[in-house]
Amino acid sequence: MSESTSLGHRLSRIRGEASAGWRAFVRRRTAVFFTFFFPAILVIIFGALVSTDPTGGGLFAEPAGYYVAGYVAVVVLFTPLSRMGSEVARHREGNRFEKLATTPLTRGEWLLAQTAVNAVIITIAAALILGLVVALTGASISLSPLVIAYVLVGVVCFCGVGTMIGSYTDSQDGAVAASNAIGLPLLFLSETFVTLDQLPAWFEPVVSLSPLTYFARGVRILTYDGAEHAPVAGIDPAFGNLLVLAVIALVAFWLGARSIPQTES
């Protein structure tokens, strides 16, 4: 079999699994509703009702545009963690990976197909969130094609993490609980809604360990004119943060694919 034929078969398998995954998502109306409803509620509560106070103090002391990256981060973080965690756990409970092992579809291809579905869902959700933020908060934002790159790379990263959560928890409920336990601290300790000067000085190095930090910093640079960040390893921060996030995403995806069980006893 030629290399081009083998690649064509692989793409066909991935496309078929992605198509099945998309149909499964749209059939679950509750999942569709909360995928878009949850981040919208955050924008309404924190962006429109609580609002920001640039001249004062407190949690939302920055201009509205500063928090755009945080709102987008909500979708990029929680949707892959919860969807992939519960999806993998559901497959394990139904012994579906045992059936998968009898097909040509590899674990990596399965994860890539699921990641593609999440990428479409989250790109749509992120676009809706951006529109909602501008409409409700009056934030002035600038857009760059790199924002899409950040969203896609972020999806790859957290799909990998979500897959590991689903692989190592004992049930769907456990996967959802673990996703929230991991996601909530990451959300507020990754320069999304809480700035570094609001955290203890000793905690600042810990923030740099979160992949969401590099997502938030990069998206903020691209969407908020007042963002200031130093170069990353001598590279322009808009590209440097994306590079760091991409490296983490590749590692997370690889670990996620490796964690998927081939069979269930």
Side-chain angles (χ1 to χ4, degrees):
M1 183 181 294
S2 68
E3 184 175 343
S4 60
T5 301
S6 176
L7 178 61
H9 287 168
R10 175 170 295 186
L11 292 176
S12 179
R13 293 194 297 268
I14 294 172
R15 184 165 52 249
E17 181 64 26
S19 177
W22 174 260
R23 291 195 299 271
F25 169 71
V26 296
R27 282 198 299 266
R28 295 196 291 268
R29 296 181 180 179
T30 302
V32 174
F33 176 76
F34 281 103
T35 295
F36 300 103
F37 179 75
F38 175 65
I41 282 294
L42 286 182
V43 174
I44 293 172
I45 293 176
F46 294 117
L49 299 182
V50 175
S51 192
T52 61
D53 184 14
T55 61
L59 181 59
F60 286 85
E62 301 292 333
Y66 178 91
Y67 300 103
V68 169
Y71 295 126
V72 178
V74 172
V75 185
V76 172
L77 173 65
F78 278 102
T79 302
L81 288 187
S82 60
R83 291 199 73 249
M84 289 307 303
S86 60
E87 188 74 11
V88 172
R90 181 164 53 249
H91 273 61
R92 290 176 57 211
E93 291 175 358
N95 291 328
R96 297 182 188 178
F97 287 121
E98 189 172 76
K99 300 174 183 177
L100 178 67
T102 65
T103 72
L105 190 71
T106 67
R107 291 177 293 174
E109 291 170 351
W110 181 86
L111 179 53
L112 185 58
Q114 299 300 321
T115 301
V117 174
N118 278 277
V120 174
I121 295 169
I122 293 166
T123 300
I124 296 172
L128 293 175
I129 289 302
L130 285 174
L132 193 60
V133 168
V134 172
L136 294 181
T137 70
S140 177
I141 64 174
S142 55
L143 292 178
S144 163
L146 273 182
V147 173
I148 298 177
Y150 270 98
V151 170
L152 295 179
V153 174
V155 170
V156 172
C157 179
F158 293 111
C159 277
V161 176
T163 299
M164 286 185 276
I165 291 173
S167 297
Y168 297 124
T169 49
D170 57 2
S171 66
Q172 291 186 57
D173 290 339
V176 173
S179 297
N180 291 332
I182 293 173
L184 282 173
L186 280 181
L187 179 63
F188 290 100
L189 300 176
S190 301
E191 287 194 60
T192 49
F193 298 105
V194 180
T195 59
L196 278 180
D197 57 11
Q198 293 174 309
L199 296 172
W202 61 265
F203 194 80
E204 291 184 13
V206 180
V207 173
S208 298
L209 298 177
S210 168
L212 194 66
T213 296
Y214 300 98
F215 176 88
R217 287 174 178 172
V219 173
R220 181 168 294 120
I221 290 168
L222 296 171
T223 58
Y224 175 54
D225 292 335
E228 295 182 3
H229 285 290
V232 179
I235 305 174
D236 179 274
F239 293 95
N241 284 294
L242 181 60
L243 179 60
V244 174
L245 181 62
V247 172
I248 298 174
L250 289 175
V251 174
F253 185 90
W254 181 78
L255 291 174
R258 293 276 297 178
S259 71
I260 297 174
Q262 292 182 318
T263 59
E264 286 294 319
S265 57

